[in-house]
Amino acid sequence: MEDQLWRLCVKTADRAKATGLVGNVITLKLKTAEFRTLTRRMSLSEPTQLAQTLFRNAKVLLAKETNGRTRFRLIGVGISDLSEHRSDAVDLLDPLVAKRAAAERASDLARQKFGAEAVITGRSARVKNAPR
């Protein structure tokens, strides 16, 4: 499920970047095979629009709910408590976020210029090649 979560985090981050928004709250939504809906939220110390940050935090929420016995038919991730992106914002709890942000934005530019398959992560390649 982490591979699917990664794919959804990338889509969510791409939408946030396209609209110039960042979010302070990450929401994970799961629907069980019995159609029971679980929604879990996490507030961040600093707003984000980065797929890596979304994934790292949503993965923690997912791990708390997946016990191997429950089957899920739906997974979703989103951000809320939105505000406009400020390029001068700094996350003091994660000093490497600036490097990751620069790398992710460079990858975004390469995909815009050369197509969606120009730059992918190892996890993205695994999701793409996984049997459905």
Side-chain angles (χ1 to χ4, degrees), residues 45-111:
S45 60
E46 293 292 327
T48 191
Q49 63 179 192
L50 299 177
Q52 287 286 345
T53 304
L54 292 174
F55 178 72
R56 191 172 61 252
N57 290 285
K59 186 169 70 165
V60 172
L61 297 173
L62 180 65
K64 290 179 183 177
E65 300 303 323
T66 54
N67 56 20
R69 294 176 301 218
T70 305
R71 295 182 50 162
F72 296 98
R73 62 183 314 110
L74 176 132
I75 181 173
V77 68
I79 57 173
S80 58
D81 192 13
L82 301 173
S83 58
E84 288 187 24
H85 173 65
R86 288 183 17 234
S87 60
D88 62 341
V90 176
D91 186 348
L92 298 176
L93 296 177
D94 187 359
L96 297 177
V97 75
K99 280 187 173 184
R100 283 197 296 275
E104 191 167 318
R105 286 180 183 28
S107 296
D108 293 342
L109 289 173
R111 280 195 296 274

Side-chain angles (χ1 to χ4, degrees), residues 1 8 29-33 37-38 71-76:
M1 286 188 60
L8 295 170
K29 184 176 261 188
L30 299 166
K31 189 173 282 191
T32 66
T37 302
L38 303 171
R71 295 182 50 162
F72 296 98
R73 62 183 314 110
L74 176 132
I75 181 173

